[in-house]
Amino acid sequence: MQHSLFLIGFVIMSLAPLAIQATAARGAATRTHTLLHATVPFVAATSYLAMALGVGTVLLPDGHLSYVARYLDWSLTTPLLLAGLVLTAVGDERRFAQLGGYLSAVLSLDVLMIVAGLISSLATSDAVKWAFYGWSCAAFVGVLYLLWVPLRTLAAERGDAIGHAYLANLSMLSVLWLLYPVVFLVGPEGVGSIGGGATVLAILVLDVLAKVAYAFVAAFNLDRALPKEA
């Protein structure tokens, strides 16, 4: 079952960049966002291909599989998605130092979150597993704080249209991302309430929503908010 799901994920993620590029607005203001969102599923396709071929899959002593390729995917794709939100909130007219400061803080916490999650997945000791699971969640809280408090304020300062677009995109991504640690918790890497096949299916659905569907929704919201070029 897992192999078929990985192949399905590979096909969806391979086609998604073409669809995102084909339907993107042509204005210069949205070009950066289009590139970011088109790159995300391309990276994810690489991950799904690796998992389908068994590359980077680690069998742990307790019998569960840890898909290292999935975490490598997240370490690249989640920063790209966050960069799109930060760029929306800060805007081109802001000082580079301000943009760089928020990007550095958000992306550092994000990568820490993914690395801690990988360590938790690979841990053979329950104490280590749950310590790093908790640390990953703590980093996630830091990411959410930066997105929902200072960056949301900056987005609102750019006007109602940008503020509403940022909030809509942030809300969708936050809800989807909150479900990932829940799947980890109940899956084989956590307490094992659901099996490996169900976990792979759940993450595939979340990946499609967060990396493909979100790209179209975010582009629609941003294009509607930005002033049209003459």
Side-chain angles (χ1 to χ4, degrees):
M1 176 182 179
Q2 287 95 322
H3 184 263
S4 297
L5 290 173
F6 290 144
L7 289 177
I8 292 172
F10 171 67
V11 172
I12 294 173
M13 297 299 177
S14 297
L15 297 176
L18 301 176
I20 292 170
Q21 288 284 1
T23 59
R26 301 306 173 193
T30 58
R31 189 174 298 122
T32 298
H33 294 270
T34 299
L35 291 173
L36 289 173
H37 290 299
T39 303
V40 166
F42 186 82
V43 174
T46 307
S47 168
Y48 274 97
L49 179 60
M51 290 187 288
L53 298 176
V55 177
T57 301
V58 179
L59 178 62
L60 278 297
D62 63 1
H64 87 262
L65 295 172
S66 177
Y67 299 102
V68 177
R70 176 180 289 156
Y71 291 90
L72 295 177
D73 162 1
W74 291 339
S75 70
L76 294 173
T77 55
T78 55
L80 291 172
L81 293 171
L82 289 173
L85 280 172
V86 174
L87 287 170
T88 300
V90 176
D92 295 334
E93 73 276 7
R94 301 283 182 171
R95 293 177 304 178
F96 177 79
Q98 187 176 30
L99 174 62
Y102 278 113
L103 273 176
S104 298
V106 170
L107 300 190
S108 295
L109 285 171
D110 176 64
V111 172
L112 174 61
M113 173 183 72
I114 303 302
V115 171
L118 174 59
I119 295 174
S120 178
S121 173
L122 294 172
T124 56
S125 161
D126 283 346
V128 175
K129 175 186 294 292
W130 296 117
F132 275 93
Y133 177 81
W135 195 239
S136 178
C137 291
F140 186 26
V141 171
V143 171
L144 291 176
Y145 169 79
L146 290 172
L147 294 174
W148 278 93
V149 181
L151 284 167
R152 183 182 175 189
T153 299
L154 288 177
E157 290 175 356
R158 297 188 64 199
D160 289 342
I162 291 293
H164 291 154
Y166 176 84
L167 180 59
N169 292 345
L170 174 59
S171 298
M172 178 178 179
L173 202 61
S174 295
V175 170
L176 291 172
W177 279 18
L178 282 167
L179 294 175
Y180 282 93
V182 174
V183 174
F184 182 102
L185 179 64
V186 301
E189 295 169 301
V191 298
S193 298
I194 62 175
T199 301
V200 169
L201 176 59
I203 292 180
L204 171 59
V205 172
L206 287 175
D207 276 351
V208 171
L209 292 174
K211 297 173 181 177
V212 181
Y214 172 76
F216 293 105
V217 172
F220 174 79
N221 290 333
L222 188 59
D223 184 55
R224 187 172 56 175
L226 290 172
K228 297 296 182 289
E229 296 180 354

